[in-house]
Amino acid sequence: MGRADAEPWYDEDDFDWQLSLGAFYVNTKLPSLIGAKHEFSSLAPLIDAKLRYKNFYLNTHSGDFFGGSDLGYQLVQRDGWGLDVIFGNYQIPFSENGYYSNDDKVKELEGIKERKVDQSIGFAYYQNVGEYLAVVELVYDVFGESDGWVFHIEATRNFELRNWDLWLNFGANYYSQNFNDYFYGVDPSEVNDYLYGFTAGDGATAFVQTQLNYPIAQDWVYSAGLSVLVGSGGVKSSPLVESNYARVVFTGVKYVF
Amino acid sequence: MYFRLTQVMLMFFILTPLGVSAKEQRKGILNATPSKCVALNQGRTCYADVVFEISAPQAGDYCLRESESKRILQCWANTASFAYTLSFGSAESVSYELISKAQSDTLAVTTIEVNWVHKVRAKKRRWRLF
């Protein structure tokens, strides 16, 4: 059985990189915004990069799960635990066009201000717990507009099943009232025929994810994954959203350079 | 000139089939399928069901063994063609050889190559969510 580990995942040399290119089918269902499209399917190119220079690292994920990037700096690396400074995004942006700006304007959302993606900075603490790697993150939306913070906790384990990797990841997020209200509150200036004024309280989500990887040939990997996230009831009270459920299913192949 | 060309062509037709047949015969004595095993990470055990097909030039007593450890996998008596399925599991490439019991001689060698996709194991992984 494999175990997730807080040891550095790269060599101790100064610079490492890894680039993956592939094609993935991704089906995403996001929390339903009133009147807006919330399910998306695509056969999309995947470009993933892992860069590490000394203690800095950048990981981008364009093809699997919800995408995004991780930028970090390893402050402490010890046997069994570590502490990083991290930069990342914890909420998906949306506007009166829905989740993606190239969609048509949604009449139910007309007049709302753009909810820009958070630009959060904070700390991530890693700790081996038996066969699991536990991660606790506390970040503040420093460069975004929410003035809120997010507490994230998760556990990851890798099961090595012959040549297959089966990753299991589960955890929860807690969003401060400011953070939640920025995305799901409705200001008086945004009120329209469909939206009433609303102040969102704090919120939470729980999630479970799994991913299968298999080496189909040298440098080629097949992957498939499923991610499910459920939000707390408070978010559903917002007139902006009709559901607090999200999931992603993906499958595809990638070439690893 | 005509004589020399004939000579060259004759030598070509005589030598080439001999060379090919010797090579093919050598290659054909011991075949392993698949001959490559790919793991996700360097250093990880790679698993595969490898089928060895043996076609010895003549009936006899033969054994299949690991080249380095000399560990015998299987022996066959008074036969020329046989097959063996190995449940392969190794983090490194492994060579296997066919030996003749009578001559204690190595008749053929084949190698199961172990390759990997990632040089390093993705131990620390952050899962991006929203």
Side-chain angles (χ1 to χ4, degrees), chain A residues 59-143:
Chain A
N59 298 331
T60 67
H61 317 281
S62 68
D64 55 358
F65 296 124
F66 299 101
S69 300
D70 302 321
L71 185 63
Y73 180 85
Q74 297 185 115
L75 283 174
V76 182
Q77 279 293 313
R78 296 284 183 272
D79 189 24
W81 67 276
L83 182 68
D84 294 3
V85 174
I86 53 169
F87 170 82
N89 315 125
Y90 291 77
Q91 188 57 280
I92 290 182
F94 61 89
S95 68
E96 56 187 358
N97 301 85
Y99 280 110
Y100 297 101
S101 58
N102 54 355
D103 288 344
D104 292 335
K105 196 175 283 189
V106 179
K107 69 175 188 298
E108 289 88 341
L109 299 175
E110 198 164 348
I112 68 165
K113 288 174 282 193
E114 182 182 357
R115 269 64 169 168
K116 292 178 182 169
V117 69
D118 63 298
Q119 309 279 345
S120 300
I121 293 179
F123 294 96
Y125 174 78
Y126 303 83
Q127 171 81 56
N128 288 330
V129 181
E131 298 294 323
Y132 288 85
L133 174 65
V135 181
V136 177
E137 297 176 2
L138 183 63
V139 297
Y140 184 79
D141 186 11
V142 174
F143 299 114

Coordinates of all heavy atoms in Angstrom, one line a residue, chain A residues 59-143:
Chain A
N59 N 2.4 24.5 -9.1 CA 1.7 23.4 -9.8 C 0.4 23.9 -10.4 O -0.4 24.6 -9.8 CB 1.3 22.3 -8.7 CG 2.5 21.8 -8.0 OD1 3.5 21.7 -8.6 ND2 2.3 21.3 -6.8
T60 N 0.2 23.6 -11.7 CA -1.0 24.0 -12.4 C -1.8 22.8 -12.7 O -1.2 21.8 -13.1 CB -0.8 24.9 -13.6 OG1 -0.1 24.0 -14.6 CG2 0.1 26.0 -13.3
H61 N -3.1 22.9 -12.6 CA -4.0 21.8 -13.0 C -5.1 22.3 -13.9 O -6.0 23.0 -13.5 CB -4.7 21.2 -11.7 CG -3.7 21.0 -10.6 ND1 -2.8 20.0 -10.5 CD2 -3.5 21.8 -9.5 CE1 -2.1 20.1 -9.4 NE2 -2.5 21.2 -8.8
S62 N -5.0 22.0 -15.2 CA -6.0 22.5 -16.1 C -7.0 21.5 -16.5 O -8.1 21.8 -17.0 CB -5.3 23.1 -17.3 OG -4.8 22.0 -18.1
G63 N -6.7 20.2 -16.3 CA -7.6 19.2 -16.9 C -8.4 18.5 -15.9 O -9.5 18.1 -16.2
D64 N -7.9 18.3 -14.7 CA -8.7 17.4 -13.8 C -9.3 18.2 -12.7 O -8.9 19.3 -12.3 CB -7.8 16.3 -13.2 CG -6.6 16.9 -12.5 OD1 -6.4 18.1 -12.5 OD2 -5.8 16.1 -12.0
F65 N -10.4 17.7 -12.1 CA -11.1 18.3 -11.1 C -11.4 19.8 -11.5 O -11.8 20.1 -12.6 CB -10.4 18.2 -9.7 CG -10.3 16.8 -9.3 CD1 -9.1 16.2 -9.0 CD2 -11.4 16.0 -9.2 CE1 -9.0 14.9 -8.6 CE2 -11.3 14.7 -8.8 CZ -10.1 14.1 -8.5
F66 N -11.2 20.7 -10.6 CA -11.7 22.1 -10.8 C -10.6 23.0 -11.4 O -10.8 24.2 -11.5 CB -12.3 22.7 -9.5 CG -13.5 21.9 -9.0 CD1 -13.3 21.0 -8.0 CD2 -14.7 22.0 -9.6 CE1 -14.4 20.3 -7.5 CE2 -15.8 21.3 -9.1 CZ -15.6 20.4 -8.1
G67 N -9.5 22.5 -11.7 CA -8.4 23.3 -12.3 C -7.7 24.1 -11.2 O -7.7 23.7 -10.0
G68 N -7.1 25.2 -11.6 CA -6.5 26.1 -10.6 C -5.0 25.8 -10.5 O -4.5 24.9 -11.2
S69 N -4.4 26.6 -9.7 CA -2.9 26.5 -9.6 C -2.5 26.7 -8.1 O -3.3 27.3 -7.3 CB -2.2 27.7 -10.3 OG -2.5 27.6 -11.7
D70 N -1.4 26.1 -7.8 CA -0.9 26.2 -6.4 C 0.5 26.9 -6.5 O 1.3 26.4 -7.2 CB -0.7 24.9 -5.7 CG -2.0 24.1 -5.7 OD1 -3.0 24.7 -5.4 OD2 -2.0 22.9 -5.9
L71 N 0.7 27.9 -5.8 CA 2.0 28.6 -5.7 C 2.4 28.5 -4.3 O 1.6 28.9 -3.4 CB 1.9 30.0 -6.2 CG 3.1 30.8 -6.3 CD1 4.1 30.2 -7.4 CD2 2.8 32.3 -6.8
G72 N 3.6 28.1 -4.0 CA 3.9 27.9 -2.6 C 5.4 28.1 -2.3 O 6.2 28.1 -3.3
Y73 N 5.7 28.2 -1.1 CA 7.1 28.3 -0.6 C 7.2 27.4 0.6 O 6.4 27.6 1.6 CB 7.5 29.7 -0.3 CG 8.9 29.8 0.2 CD1 9.9 30.0 -0.7 CD2 9.2 29.8 1.6 CE1 11.3 30.1 -0.3 CE2 10.5 29.9 2.0 CZ 11.5 30.0 1.1 OH 12.9 30.1 1.5
Q74 N 8.1 26.5 0.6 CA 8.3 25.6 1.7 C 9.1 26.2 2.8 O 10.3 26.5 2.7 CB 9.0 24.3 1.3 CG 8.2 23.5 0.2 CD 8.9 22.2 -0.1 OE1 8.4 21.2 0.2 NE2 10.1 22.4 -0.6
L75 N 8.4 26.5 3.9 CA 9.1 27.2 5.1 C 9.9 26.1 5.9 O 11.0 26.3 6.3 CB 8.1 27.8 6.0 CG 7.5 29.2 5.5 CD1 6.4 29.6 6.5 CD2 8.6 30.2 5.5
V76 N 9.2 25.0 6.1 CA 9.8 24.0 7.0 C 9.5 22.6 6.4 O 8.4 22.4 5.9 CB 9.1 24.0 8.4 CG1 9.8 23.0 9.3 CG2 9.2 25.4 9.0
Q77 N 10.5 21.8 6.3 CA 10.3 20.4 5.9 C 11.0 19.5 6.9 O 12.2 19.6 7.1 CB 11.0 20.2 4.5 CG 10.1 20.6 3.4 CD 8.8 19.8 3.2 OE1 8.9 18.6 3.2 NE2 7.7 20.5 3.1
R78 N 10.2 18.8 7.7 CA 10.8 17.9 8.7 C 10.3 16.5 8.4 O 9.4 16.3 7.5 CB 10.4 18.3 10.1 CG 10.9 19.7 10.5 CD 12.4 19.6 10.9 NE 12.9 20.9 11.4 CZ 13.4 21.8 10.6 NH1 13.5 21.6 9.3 NH2 13.8 23.0 11.1
D79 N 10.8 15.6 9.1 CA 10.4 14.2 8.9 C 8.9 14.0 9.4 O 8.6 14.1 10.6 CB 11.3 13.3 9.8 CG 11.0 11.8 9.5 OD1 10.5 11.5 8.4 OD2 11.3 11.0 10.3
G80 N 8.0 13.8 8.4 CA 6.6 13.6 8.8 C 5.8 14.8 8.8 O 4.6 14.7 9.0
W81 N 6.4 16.0 8.7 CA 5.5 17.2 8.7 C 6.2 18.4 7.9 O 7.4 18.3 7.7 CB 5.1 17.7 10.1 CG 6.2 18.2 10.9 CD1 7.0 17.4 11.7 CD2 6.6 19.5 11.1 NE1 7.9 18.2 12.3 CE2 7.7 19.5 12.0 CE3 6.1 20.8 10.7 CZ2 8.3 20.7 12.5 CZ3 6.8 21.9 11.1 CH2 7.9 21.9 12.0
G82 N 5.4 19.4 7.6 CA 6.0 20.5 6.8 C 5.0 21.7 6.9 O 3.9 21.5 7.3
L83 N 5.6 22.8 6.6 CA 4.8 24.1 6.7 C 5.2 24.9 5.4 O 6.3 25.2 5.2 CB 5.1 24.9 8.0 CG 4.3 26.1 8.2 CD1 2.8 25.9 8.4 CD2 4.9 27.0 9.3
D84 N 4.1 25.3 4.7 CA 4.3 26.1 3.5 C 3.6 27.4 3.6 O 2.5 27.4 4.2 CB 3.8 25.3 2.2 CG 4.6 24.1 1.9 OD1 5.5 23.7 2.7 OD2 4.2 23.4 0.9
V85 N 4.1 28.4 2.9 CA 3.3 29.5 2.6 C 2.7 29.3 1.2 O 3.4 28.9 0.3 CB 4.1 30.8 2.5 CG1 3.3 32.0 2.1 CG2 4.8 31.1 3.9
I86 N 1.4 29.5 1.1 CA 0.7 29.2 -0.2 C -0.1 30.3 -0.7 O -0.6 31.2 0.0 CB -0.2 27.9 0.0 CG1 -1.2 28.2 1.2 CG2 0.6 26.7 0.2 CD1 -2.3 27.2 1.2
F87 N -0.3 30.3 -2.0 CA -1.2 31.2 -2.7 C -2.1 30.4 -3.6 O -1.6 29.5 -4.3 CB -0.3 32.2 -3.6 CG -1.2 33.0 -4.5 CD1 -1.8 34.2 -4.0 CD2 -1.4 32.6 -5.8 CE1 -2.6 34.9 -4.9 CE2 -2.2 33.4 -6.7 CZ -2.8 34.5 -6.2
G88 N -3.4 30.7 -3.5 CA -4.3 29.9 -4.3 C -5.7 30.5 -4.4 O -5.9 31.6 -3.8
N89 N -6.6 29.8 -5.1 CA -8.0 30.3 -5.2 C -8.9 29.3 -4.6 O -8.7 28.0 -4.7 CB -8.3 30.4 -6.7 CG -7.3 31.1 -7.5 OD1 -6.8 30.6 -8.5 ND2 -6.9 32.3 -7.1
Y90 N -9.9 29.7 -3.9 CA -10.7 28.8 -3.1 C -12.2 29.0 -3.5 O -13.1 28.3 -3.0 CB -10.6 29.1 -1.6 CG -9.2 28.6 -1.1 CD1 -8.1 29.4 -1.3 CD2 -9.1 27.4 -0.5 CE1 -6.8 28.9 -0.9 CE2 -7.8 27.0 0.0 CZ -6.7 27.7 -0.3 OH -5.5 27.3 0.2
Q91 N -12.5 29.8 -4.5 CA -13.9 30.0 -4.9 C -13.9 30.3 -6.4 O -13.0 31.0 -6.9 CB -14.6 31.1 -4.1 CG -16.1 31.2 -4.3 CD -16.8 29.9 -4.1 OE1 -16.8 29.0 -4.9 NE2 -17.4 29.8 -2.9
I92 N -14.9 29.8 -7.1 CA -15.0 30.0 -8.5 C -15.7 31.3 -8.8 O -16.8 31.6 -8.1 CB -15.7 28.8 -9.2 CG1 -14.8 27.6 -9.1 CG2 -16.1 29.1 -10.6 CD1 -15.4 26.4 -9.8
P93 N -15.2 32.1 -9.6 CA -15.8 33.4 -9.9 C -17.1 33.3 -10.8 O -17.3 32.3 -11.5 CB -14.7 34.2 -10.6 CG -14.0 33.1 -11.3 CD -14.0 31.9 -10.5
F94 N -17.9 34.3 -10.7 CA -19.1 34.4 -11.6 C -19.5 35.8 -11.8 O -19.1 36.7 -11.0 CB -20.2 33.5 -11.1 CG -20.8 33.8 -9.8 CD1 -21.8 34.7 -9.7 CD2 -20.3 33.2 -8.7 CE1 -22.4 35.0 -8.4 CE2 -20.8 33.5 -7.4 CZ -21.9 34.4 -7.3
S95 N -20.4 36.0 -12.7 CA -20.8 37.4 -13.0 C -22.3 37.3 -13.5 O -22.9 36.2 -13.5 CB -19.9 38.0 -14.1 OG -20.1 37.3 -15.3
E96 N -22.7 38.4 -14.1 CA -24.1 38.3 -14.7 C -24.2 37.4 -15.9 O -25.2 37.2 -16.4 CB -24.6 39.7 -15.0 CG -23.8 40.5 -15.9 CD -24.2 42.0 -16.0 OE1 -25.3 42.3 -15.4 OE2 -23.6 42.7 -16.7
N97 N -23.0 37.0 -16.4 CA -23.0 36.0 -17.5 C -23.0 34.6 -17.0 O -22.9 33.6 -17.7 CB -21.8 36.2 -18.4 CG -21.7 37.6 -19.0 OD1 -21.3 38.5 -18.3 ND2 -22.3 37.7 -20.1
G98 N -23.0 34.4 -15.7 CA -22.9 33.0 -15.1 C -21.5 32.7 -14.7 O -20.7 33.7 -14.4
Y99 N -21.1 31.5 -14.8 CA -19.8 31.1 -14.4 C -18.7 31.5 -15.4 O -17.6 31.8 -15.0 CB -19.7 29.6 -14.2 CG -20.3 29.2 -12.8 CD1 -21.5 28.5 -12.8 CD2 -19.6 29.5 -11.7 CE1 -22.0 28.1 -11.5 CE2 -20.2 29.2 -10.4 CZ -21.3 28.4 -10.4 OH -21.9 28.1 -9.2
Y100 N -19.1 31.6 -16.7 CA -18.0 31.9 -17.6 C -18.5 33.2 -18.4 O -19.6 33.3 -18.9 CB -17.8 30.8 -18.6 CG -17.2 29.6 -17.8 CD1 -18.1 28.5 -17.5 CD2 -15.9 29.5 -17.4 CE1 -17.6 27.4 -16.7 CE2 -15.4 28.5 -16.7 CZ -16.2 27.4 -16.3 OH -15.8 26.4 -15.6
S101 N -17.5 34.1 -18.6 CA -17.9 35.4 -19.1 C -18.3 35.4 -20.6 O -18.9 36.3 -21.1 CB -16.7 36.4 -18.9 OG -15.6 35.9 -19.5
N102 N -17.9 34.3 -21.3 CA -18.3 34.2 -22.7 C -19.7 33.7 -22.9 O -20.2 33.6 -24.0 CB -17.3 33.4 -23.5 CG -17.0 32.0 -22.9 OD1 -17.6 31.7 -21.9 ND2 -16.2 31.2 -23.6
D103 N -20.4 33.3 -21.8 CA -21.8 32.9 -22.0 C -22.6 34.2 -22.1 O -22.2 35.3 -21.8 CB -22.2 32.1 -20.7 CG -21.6 30.7 -20.7 OD1 -21.1 30.3 -21.8 OD2 -21.6 30.1 -19.6
D104 N -23.9 34.0 -22.6 CA -24.8 35.1 -22.7 C -25.2 35.6 -21.3 O -25.1 34.9 -20.3 CB -26.0 34.7 -23.5 CG -25.7 34.4 -24.9 OD1 -24.7 34.9 -25.4 OD2 -26.5 33.6 -25.5
K105 N -25.6 36.9 -21.3 CA -26.0 37.5 -20.0 C -27.2 36.8 -19.6 O -28.1 36.5 -20.3 CB -26.3 39.0 -20.3 CG -26.3 39.8 -19.0 CD -26.5 41.3 -19.3 CE -25.2 41.9 -19.7 NZ -25.3 43.4 -19.8
V106 N -27.3 36.5 -18.3 CA -28.4 35.8 -17.7 C -29.4 36.8 -17.1 O -28.9 37.7 -16.2 CB -27.9 34.8 -16.6 CG1 -29.1 34.1 -15.9 CG2 -26.9 33.8 -17.1
K107 N -30.6 36.9 -17.5 CA -31.5 37.9 -17.1 C -31.7 37.9 -15.5 O -31.8 39.0 -14.9 CB -32.8 37.9 -17.8 CG -33.8 36.7 -17.5 CD -35.1 36.9 -18.2 CE -36.1 35.8 -17.8 NZ -35.8 34.5 -18.1
E108 N -31.7 36.7 -15.0 CA -31.9 36.7 -13.5 C -30.7 37.3 -12.7 O -30.9 37.6 -11.6 CB -32.1 35.2 -13.1 CG -33.4 34.6 -13.5 CD -33.4 33.9 -14.8 OE1 -32.4 34.3 -15.6 OE2 -34.2 33.1 -15.1
L109 N -29.6 37.3 -13.4 CA -28.4 37.8 -12.7 C -28.0 39.2 -13.2 O -27.0 39.8 -12.8 CB -27.2 36.9 -13.0 CG -27.3 35.4 -12.5 CD1 -26.1 34.6 -12.9 CD2 -27.5 35.4 -11.0
E110 N -28.8 39.8 -14.0 CA -28.5 41.1 -14.6 C -28.3 42.1 -13.5 O -29.1 42.3 -12.6 CB -29.6 41.5 -15.6 CG -29.1 42.6 -16.5 CD -30.1 42.7 -17.7 OE1 -30.9 41.9 -17.9 OE2 -29.9 43.7 -18.4
G111 N -27.2 42.8 -13.6 CA -27.0 43.9 -12.7 C -26.1 43.6 -11.5 O -25.7 44.4 -10.7
I112 N -25.8 42.3 -11.4 CA -24.9 41.9 -10.2 C -23.4 42.3 -10.5 O -23.0 42.3 -11.7 CB -25.0 40.4 -9.8 CG1 -24.4 39.5 -10.9 CG2 -26.4 40.1 -9.5 CD1 -24.1 38.1 -10.4
K113 N -22.7 42.6 -9.5 CA -21.3 42.9 -9.7 C -20.5 41.6 -9.9 O -21.0 40.5 -9.5 CB -20.7 43.6 -8.4 CG -21.2 45.0 -8.3 CD -20.7 45.6 -7.0 CE -21.6 45.1 -5.8 NZ -21.5 45.8 -4.6
E114 N -19.4 41.7 -10.6 CA -18.6 40.5 -10.9 C -18.0 40.0 -9.6 O -17.4 40.8 -8.8 CB -17.5 40.9 -11.9 CG -16.7 39.7 -12.3 CD -15.6 40.0 -13.2 OE1 -15.5 41.2 -13.6 OE2 -14.8 39.1 -13.5
R115 N -18.2 38.7 -9.3 CA -17.5 38.1 -8.2 C -16.2 37.6 -8.7 O -16.1 36.5 -9.4 CB -18.4 36.9 -7.7 CG -19.3 37.2 -6.6 CD -20.4 38.1 -7.0 NE -21.5 38.2 -6.0 CZ -22.5 39.1 -6.1 NH1 -22.5 40.1 -7.0 NH2 -23.4 39.1 -5.1
K116 N -15.2 38.3 -8.4 CA -13.8 37.9 -8.9 C -13.3 36.8 -8.0 O -13.5 36.7 -6.8 CB -12.9 39.1 -8.9 CG -13.3 40.2 -9.9 CD -12.4 41.4 -9.8 CE -12.9 42.5 -10.8 NZ -12.2 43.7 -10.6
V117 N -12.4 36.0 -8.7 CA -11.8 34.9 -7.9 C -11.0 35.5 -6.8 O -10.4 36.5 -6.9 CB -10.9 34.1 -8.9 CG1 -9.7 34.8 -9.4 CG2 -10.5 32.8 -8.3
D118 N -11.0 34.7 -5.7 CA -10.2 35.2 -4.5 C -8.7 35.0 -4.9 O -8.3 34.1 -5.7 CB -10.6 34.4 -3.3 CG -10.3 32.9 -3.5 OD1 -10.9 32.3 -4.4 OD2 -9.5 32.3 -2.7
Q119 N -7.9 35.7 -4.2 CA -6.4 35.7 -4.4 C -5.9 35.5 -3.0 O -5.4 36.4 -2.4 CB -5.9 36.9 -5.0 CG -6.6 37.4 -6.3 CD -6.1 36.6 -7.5 OE1 -5.1 35.9 -7.5 NE2 -6.9 36.7 -8.6
S120 N -6.0 34.2 -2.5 CA -5.7 34.0 -1.1 C -4.3 33.6 -0.8 O -3.7 32.8 -1.6 CB -6.7 32.9 -0.6 OG -8.0 33.3 -0.8
I121 N -3.8 34.1 0.3 CA -2.5 33.7 0.8 C -2.6 33.2 2.2 O -3.4 33.8 3.0 CB -1.5 34.9 0.7 CG1 -1.3 35.3 -0.8 CG2 -0.2 34.6 1.4 CD1 -0.3 36.5 -0.9
G122 N -1.8 32.2 2.6 CA -1.8 31.7 3.9 C -0.8 30.7 4.2 O 0.2 30.6 3.5
F123 N -1.1 29.8 5.1 CA -0.2 28.8 5.5 C -0.8 27.4 5.3 O -2.1 27.2 5.5 CB 0.2 28.9 7.0 CG 1.0 30.1 7.3 CD1 0.4 31.3 7.7 CD2 2.4 30.2 7.1 CE1 1.1 32.4 8.0 CE2 3.1 31.3 7.3 CZ 2.5 32.4 7.8
A124 N 0.0 26.4 4.9 CA -0.5 25.1 4.8 C 0.4 24.2 5.7 O 1.7 24.2 5.6 CB -0.4 24.6 3.4
Y125 N -0.2 23.5 6.6 CA 0.6 22.6 7.5 C 0.3 21.1 7.0 O -0.8 20.7 6.9 CB 0.1 22.8 8.9 CG 0.8 21.8 9.9 CD1 2.1 22.0 10.3 CD2 0.1 20.7 10.4 CE1 2.7 21.1 11.2 CE2 0.6 19.8 11.3 CZ 1.9 20.0 11.7 OH 2.5 19.1 12.5
Y126 N 1.4 20.4 6.8 CA 1.3 19.0 6.4 C 1.7 18.1 7.5 O 2.7 18.3 8.2 CB 2.2 18.7 5.2 CG 1.9 19.6 4.0 CD1 2.5 20.9 3.9 CD2 1.1 19.2 3.0 CE1 2.2 21.7 2.9 CE2 0.8 20.0 1.9 CZ 1.4 21.2 1.8 OH 1.2 22.0 0.8
Q127 N 1.0 17.0 7.7 CA 1.4 16.0 8.8 C 1.0 14.6 8.3 O -0.1 14.4 7.9 CB 0.6 16.4 10.0 CG 0.8 15.4 11.2 CD 2.1 15.6 12.0 OE1 2.4 16.6 12.5 NE2 2.8 14.5 12.0
N128 N 2.0 13.7 8.4 CA 1.6 12.3 8.2 C 0.8 11.8 9.4 O 1.3 11.9 10.5 CB 2.9 11.5 8.0 CG 3.6 11.7 6.7 OD1 3.0 12.1 5.7 ND2 4.9 11.6 6.7
V129 N -0.3 11.1 9.0 CA -1.1 10.5 10.1 C -1.3 9.1 9.6 O -2.2 8.8 8.8 CB -2.4 11.2 10.3 CG1 -3.2 10.6 11.4 CG2 -2.2 12.7 10.6
G130 N -0.5 8.2 10.1 CA -0.6 6.8 9.6 C -0.4 6.7 8.2 O 0.7 7.3 7.7
E131 N -1.2 6.2 7.4 CA -1.1 6.1 6.0 C -1.6 7.3 5.2 O -1.6 7.4 4.0 CB -1.8 4.9 5.4 CG -1.3 3.5 6.0 CD 0.1 3.2 5.5 OE1 0.4 3.5 4.3 OE2 0.9 2.7 6.3
Y132 N -2.1 8.3 6.0 CA -2.7 9.5 5.4 C -1.8 10.7 5.5 O -0.9 10.7 6.4 CB -4.0 9.8 6.1 CG -5.1 8.9 5.7 CD1 -5.3 7.7 6.5 CD2 -6.0 9.1 4.7 CE1 -6.3 6.8 6.2 CE2 -7.0 8.2 4.4 CZ -7.2 7.1 5.1 OH -8.2 6.2 4.8
L133 N -1.9 11.6 4.6 CA -1.3 12.9 4.7 C -2.4 13.9 5.0 O -3.4 14.0 4.2 CB -0.6 13.3 3.4 CG -0.1 14.7 3.4 CD1 1.0 14.9 4.4 CD2 0.5 15.1 2.0
A134 N -2.3 14.5 6.2 CA -3.3 15.5 6.6 C -2.8 16.9 6.3 O -1.6 17.1 6.4 CB -3.7 15.3 8.0
V135 N -3.7 17.7 5.8 CA -3.3 19.1 5.4 C -4.3 20.0 6.0 O -5.5 19.8 5.9 CB -3.3 19.3 3.9 CG1 -2.8 20.7 3.6 CG2 -2.3 18.3 3.2
V136 N -3.8 21.1 6.7 CA -4.6 22.1 7.2 C -4.1 23.4 6.6 O -2.9 23.7 6.6 CB -4.5 22.2 8.7 CG1 -5.3 23.4 9.3 CG2 -5.0 20.9 9.4
E137 N -5.1 24.2 6.0 CA -4.7 25.4 5.4 C -5.5 26.6 6.0 O -6.7 26.4 6.2 CB -4.9 25.4 3.9 CG -4.1 24.4 3.1 CD -4.4 24.2 1.7 OE1 -5.3 25.0 1.2 OE2 -3.9 23.4 1.0
L138 N -4.9 27.7 6.2 CA -5.6 28.9 6.6 C -5.1 30.0 5.8 O -3.9 30.3 5.7 CB -5.3 29.2 8.1 CG -6.1 30.4 8.7 CD1 -7.6 30.1 8.7 CD2 -5.6 30.7 10.1
V139 N -6.1 30.6 5.0 CA -5.7 31.6 4.0 C -6.6 32.8 4.1 O -7.8 32.7 4.6 CB -5.7 31.0 2.6 CG1 -4.8 29.9 2.4 CG2 -7.1 30.6 2.2
Y140 N -6.1 33.9 3.7 CA -6.8 35.2 3.7 C -6.8 35.7 2.3 O -5.8 35.6 1.6 CB -6.2 36.2 4.7 CG -7.0 37.5 4.8 CD1 -8.1 37.5 5.6 CD2 -6.6 38.6 4.1 CE1 -8.9 38.7 5.7 CE2 -7.3 39.8 4.2 CZ -8.5 39.8 5.0 OH -9.2 41.0 5.1
D141 N -7.9 36.2 1.9 CA -8.1 36.8 0.5 C -7.4 38.1 0.4 O -8.0 39.2 0.4 CB -9.5 36.9 0.1 CG -9.8 37.2 -1.3 OD1 -8.8 37.2 -2.1 OD2 -10.9 37.5 -1.7
V142 N -6.1 38.1 0.3 CA -5.2 39.3 0.4 C -5.4 40.2 -0.8 O -5.6 41.4 -0.7 CB -3.7 38.9 0.6 CG1 -2.9 40.1 0.5 CG2 -3.5 38.1 1.9
F143 N -5.4 39.6 -2.0 CA -5.4 40.4 -3.2 C -6.8 40.4 -3.9 O -6.9 41.0 -5.0 CB -4.3 39.9 -4.2 CG -2.9 40.0 -3.7 CD1 -2.2 38.9 -3.4 CD2 -2.4 41.2 -3.4 CE1 -0.9 39.0 -2.9 CE2 -1.1 41.4 -2.9 CZ -0.3 40.2 -2.6

